């Protein structure tokens, strides 16, 4: 238990984020008044006064001579120093940075005309980011900047379509996902509601340039071949695809992929698909509730190659229960043999909505390797050997080892939609239950309209979902 006392709950969110980075999974009790009843090993007190802030961590204290209104980064650095000292000099790879889009920082500085060296110095001094992560961020920012040149920021947009059904629910899942067999009789109605949203969007954005399409979820390939065909046809006939340079369909779960579905998608300009193993260790797949085999994954991939797919992504997760560094090494050796065009390396993030968190007592016996840094290094080395380059990166709260997710690709085969969702450089029209539409203004201002997550609610309130989009664009 960590006890955090702040006489003003100012920057509470940021301080909490920093504490969570140092002590993932540890409960934090936050009060604006000192609660003497709470026994805590770590006791952090932040006392705001008009012109100074006193920060006390157990017996250590620092006083910041600044106005608390604009002290965020200074305060975070101070808390970081005290925590690091308490932990015998332990440092975090991303320093005080708790945000999920770290590449936005070097990108913004590059847009101001700063050199790589100036960017390095500024980010190191402000956030205490390690040299390794700074080099990686700046490299990715350059790649992204180049890839975003083909995006029409003012007149273009991207389209996301969410299919919130999966064969089963993975143990770590926090997405909007419903087991296919349980919801099978509702899928027709869901697609019907989705059609309304698709037709509204196609007509509202007529004359604008559709740059990229992403079918995600959930697992879109959970749909039956005829449903998938119907949906692809609906999009292809109602949107002008002449400016669309990328159409991704997530076939995330290998057990949802069949030759028939692969052939259906080939009838449309779908040029990028995902087939995700997460790990090549069968015991782990069984443990995390994926209910597919390593063999099923291999044959889905082989089938996709036979059907002519030349841009295939695979997702892996580091830090899965009971997985060791050696398991990751073996998985990466398999990746090398298979040779995907994109490889996205995630580190496990335990979200509140995941079964692994909700039913944590049931899984208390599982071992989670905390030293995901070594695992990450293996993936970095092997992707390099495979000729893949890092092209996008993001972070989540409660990530194992406080690391990041990195997308790698063969040069020229990067998933530009992934960059758009992270860097927020273009509006994304998101349709389907649980999706969030983002309107990005040319000056960078962002406004959002969310769809409800519950599919029954989504179907019932589809007109309201459309009205929300209408209101977002008419403001
Ligand atoms: S495949 Fe993805 S969306 Fe589906 S249950 Fe697993 S983590 Fe969730």
């Amino acid at each position: 238990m960590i006890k955090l006392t702040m006489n003003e709950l100012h920057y509470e969110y940021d301080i909490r984020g920093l504490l969570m980075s140092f002590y993932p999974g540890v409960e934090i009790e936050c009060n604006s008044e000192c609660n003497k009843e709470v026994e805590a090993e770590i006791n952090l007190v932040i006392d705001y006064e008009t012109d100074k802030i006193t920060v006390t961590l157990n017996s250590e204290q620092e006083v910041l001579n600044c106005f608390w209104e604009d002290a965020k980064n200074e305060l975070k650095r101070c808390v970081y120093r005290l925590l690091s000292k308490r932990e015998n000099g332990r440092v975090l790879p991303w320093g005080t940075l708790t945000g999920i889009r770290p590449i936005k920082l070097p990108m913004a500085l590059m847009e101001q005309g700063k050199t790589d060296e100036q960017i390095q110095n500024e980010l190191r001094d402000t956030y205490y980011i390690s040299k390794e992560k700074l080099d990686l961020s700046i490299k990715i920012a350059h790649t992204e900047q180049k890839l975003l040149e083909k995006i029409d920021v003012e007149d273009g947009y991207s389209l996301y379509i969410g299919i919130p059904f999966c064969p089963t629910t993975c143990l770590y899942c926090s997405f909007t996902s419903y087991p296919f067999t349980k919801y099978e009789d509702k899928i027709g109605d869901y697609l019907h509601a989705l059609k309304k949203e698709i037709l509204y969007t196609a007509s509202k954005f007529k004359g604008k340039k559709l740059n990229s399409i992403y079918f995600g979820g959930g697992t879109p390939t959970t749909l039956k071949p005829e449903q998938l065909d119907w949906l692809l046809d609906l999009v292809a006939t109602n949107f002008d695809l002449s400016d669309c340079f990328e159409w991704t369909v997530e076939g995330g779960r290998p057990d949802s992929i069949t030759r028939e579905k692969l052939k259906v998608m080939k009838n449309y300009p779908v040029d990028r698909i995902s087939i995700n193993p997460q790990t090549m260790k069968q015991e782990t797949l069984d443990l995390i509730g994926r209910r597919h085999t390593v063999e099923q994954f291999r044959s889905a991939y082989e089938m996709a190659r036979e059907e002519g797919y030349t841009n295939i992504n695979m997702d892996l997760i580091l830090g899965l229960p009971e997985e060791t560094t050696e398991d990751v090494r073996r998985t990466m050796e398999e990746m090398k043999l298979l040779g995907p065009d994109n490889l996205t390396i995630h580190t496990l993030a335990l979200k509140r909505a995941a079964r692994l968190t909700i039913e944590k007592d049931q899984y208390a016996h599982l071992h989670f390797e905390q030293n995901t840094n070594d695992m990450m290094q293996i993936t970095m080395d092997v992707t390099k050997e495979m000729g893949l380059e890092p092209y996008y990166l993001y972070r989540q709260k409660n990530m194992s080892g406080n690391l990041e997710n990195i997308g790698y690709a063969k040069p020229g085969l990067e998933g530009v939609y992934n960059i758009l969702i992270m860097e927020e450089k273009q509006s994304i029209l998101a349709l389907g239950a649980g999706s969030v539409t983002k309107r990005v203004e040319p000056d960078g201002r962002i406004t959002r309209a969310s769809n409800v997550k519950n599919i029954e609610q989504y179907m019932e309130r589809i007109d309201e979902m459309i009205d929300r989009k209408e209101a977002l664009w008419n403001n």
Side-chain angles (χ1 to χ4, degrees):
M1 157 79 80
I2 299 171
K3 186 169 131 192
L4 169 62
T5 309
M6 306 170 88
N7 62 340
E8 297 272 353
L9 291 181
H10 216 73
Y11 306 127
E12 183 219 345
Y13 180 81
D14 303 275
I15 301 301
R16 244 179 208 281
L18 193 50
L19 286 165
M20 276 155 60
S21 303
F22 264 93
Y23 307 103
V26 177
E27 204 184 323
I28 303 171
E29 212 226 50
C30 182
N31 286 297
S32 54
E33 280 169 30
C34 192
N35 179 1
K36 298 215 166 56
E37 312 251 297
V38 180
E39 291 275 333
E41 204 178 318
I42 297 163
N43 195 357
L44 178 63
V45 181
I46 299 177
D47 188 9
Y48 293 104
E49 292 175 58
T50 326
D51 56 352
K52 68 171 184 180
I53 304 169
T54 308
V55 184
T56 314
L57 180 75
N58 294 0
S59 56
E60 296 284 338
Q61 192 171 79
E62 275 196 40
V63 178
L64 303 174
N65 293 309
C66 58
F67 295 106
W68 58 269
E69 290 92 338
D70 46 28
K72 186 166 97 177
N73 283 325
E74 211 170 319
L75 178 60
K76 283 175 87 176
R77 284 195 296 273
C78 172
V79 172
Y80 182 96
R81 281 192 299 273
L82 291 171
L83 290 170
S84 177
K85 192 170 174 191
R86 183 182 186 280
E87 295 302 315
N88 302 319
R90 177 154 73 94
V91 291
L92 301 176
W94 290 97
T96 65
L97 210 59
T98 46
I100 61 169
R101 296 181 167 87
I103 306 301
K104 274 194 167 195
L105 296 168
M107 283 272 258
L109 296 174
M110 277 161 59
E111 281 161 17
Q112 289 169 24
K114 301 213 165 150
T115 64
D116 287 358
E117 197 187 343
Q118 287 169 325
I119 296 171
Q120 283 257 4
N121 294 341
E122 195 167 327
L123 296 183
R124 184 199 55 222
D125 296 347
T126 311
Y127 303 103
Y128 294 165
I129 303 174
S130 70
K131 167 93 172 69
E132 187 203 355
K133 297 300 175 201
L134 279 172
D135 287 344
L136 179 66
S137 308
I138 293 170
K139 180 180 172 147
I140 291 177
H142 279 294
T143 308
E144 287 191 353
Q145 205 178 42
K146 230 166 140 203
L147 289 166
L148 289 174
E149 278 170 12
K150 55 179 165 181
I151 287 294
D152 190 329
V153 177
E154 285 197 26
D155 224 22
Y157 70 102
S158 286
L159 182 68
Y160 172 87
I161 295 191
I163 302 297
F165 307 103
C166 289
T168 54
T169 307
C170 305
L171 208 53
Y172 49 79
C173 180
S174 60
F175 298 107
T176 308
S177 162
Y178 298 87
F180 177 78
T181 41
K182 220 168 140 197
Y183 284 81
E184 203 173 346
D185 57 345
K186 292 204 166 78
I187 293 181
D189 290 343
Y190 178 80
L191 292 177
H192 186 71
L194 189 59
K195 178 179 177 181
K196 231 176 163 181
E197 233 192 335
I198 289 174
L199 295 182
Y200 159 78
T201 309
S203 122
K204 178 84 186 169
F205 289 85
K206 212 176 178 85
K208 296 269 178 200
K209 292 178 186 162
L210 175 57
N211 285 155
S212 76
I213 305 174
Y214 195 99
F215 278 22
T219 306
T221 43
T222 315
L223 296 177
K224 291 182 177 152
E226 57 278 13
Q227 292 169 328
L228 193 58
D229 190 31
W230 176 88
L231 185 60
L232 290 160
D233 183 61
L234 192 66
V235 171
T237 51
N238 285 287
F239 288 88
D240 177 359
L241 301 181
S242 48
D243 293 298
C244 183
F245 54 77
E246 181 181 291
W247 188 343
T248 300
V249 174
E250 262 199 63
R253 294 283 287 263
D255 43 345
S256 70
I257 294 171
T258 62
R259 194 175 291 279
E260 198 183 349
K261 292 181 200 178
L262 289 166
K263 282 189 191 295
V264 163
M265 291 191 285
K266 265 284 155 199
N267 291 330
Y268 300 90
V270 172
D271 53 5
R272 187 173 176 274
I273 61 168
S274 265
I275 308 174
N276 302 332
Q278 309 302 11
T279 170
M280 293 299 270
K281 188 179 173 190
Q282 187 60 52
E283 291 88 336
T284 313
L285 289 175
D286 297 339
L287 200 58
I288 60 178
R290 296 273 294 181
R291 306 257 178 92
H292 65 80
T293 62
V294 167
E295 217 27 70
Q296 257 173 319
F297 162 73
R298 284 198 196 98
S299 66
Y301 176 68
E302 213 172 284
M303 243 184 331
R305 287 296 195 208
E306 283 164 9
E307 292 302 326
Y309 288 88
T310 52
N311 191 353
I312 301 179
N313 173 67
M314 295 180 185
D315 278 6
L316 296 179
I317 303 178
L318 308 180
L320 286 170
E322 305 290 335
E323 285 239 326
T324 63
T325 306
E326 273 319 297
D327 294 327
V328 172
R329 197 186 301 281
R330 274 191 288 271
T331 293
M332 286 306 291
E333 285 309 315
E334 286 250 23
M335 292 295 110
K336 205 156 87 177
L337 292 174
L338 292 166
D341 311 287
N342 283 210
L343 191 58
T344 313
I345 309 288
H346 298 87
T347 30
L348 185 69
L350 289 183
K351 302 270 191 73
R352 263 183 297 174
R355 275 195 293 144
L356 208 47
T357 313
I358 297 168
E359 302 162 14
K360 67 176 176 215
D361 292 346
Q362 199 180 322
Y363 302 107
H365 62 286
L366 295 176
H367 173 73
F368 293 84
E369 178 59 61
Q370 288 305 313
N371 191 9
T372 35
N373 214 7
D374 289 351
M375 295 178 173
M376 186 60 91
Q377 193 55 52
I378 292 169
T379 62
M380 283 177 167
D381 294 344
V382 179
T383 46
K384 201 168 180 188
E385 287 167 31
M386 292 164 72
L388 303 176
E389 292 286 339
Y391 77 95
Y392 88 106
L393 180 154
Y394 68 100
R395 303 182 69 222
Q396 289 168 288
K397 289 231 171 314
N398 273 336
M399 290 187 91
S400 178
N402 197 29
L403 292 170
E404 64 273 327
N405 299 328
I406 306 180
Y408 294 87
K410 287 180 185 162
L413 292 177
E414 300 86 356
V416 176
Y417 177 87
N418 290 327
I419 301 175
L420 291 172
I421 196 92
M422 282 306 136
E423 305 312 333
E424 303 179 310
K425 295 284 187 196
Q426 189 190 51
S427 296
I428 297 181
L429 269 294
L431 323 184
S435 62
V436 181
T437 293
K438 271 188 226 169
R439 179 178 179 180
V440 182
E441 304 285 356
D443 65 2
R445 214 162 35 89
I446 297 167
T447 43
R448 295 173 171 82
S450 304
N451 281 354
V452 287
K453 286 186 175 182
N454 178 289
I455 59 161
E456 279 92 359
Q457 287 283 313
Y458 170 76
M459 295 185 291
E460 257 173 50
R461 294 163 60 190
I462 187 63
D463 292 335
E464 185 192 328
M465 301 304 107
I466 291 170
D467 288 347
R468 286 182 187 183
K469 283 191 178 55
E470 185 68 13
L472 183 69
W473 253 269
N474 290 346
N475 262 338

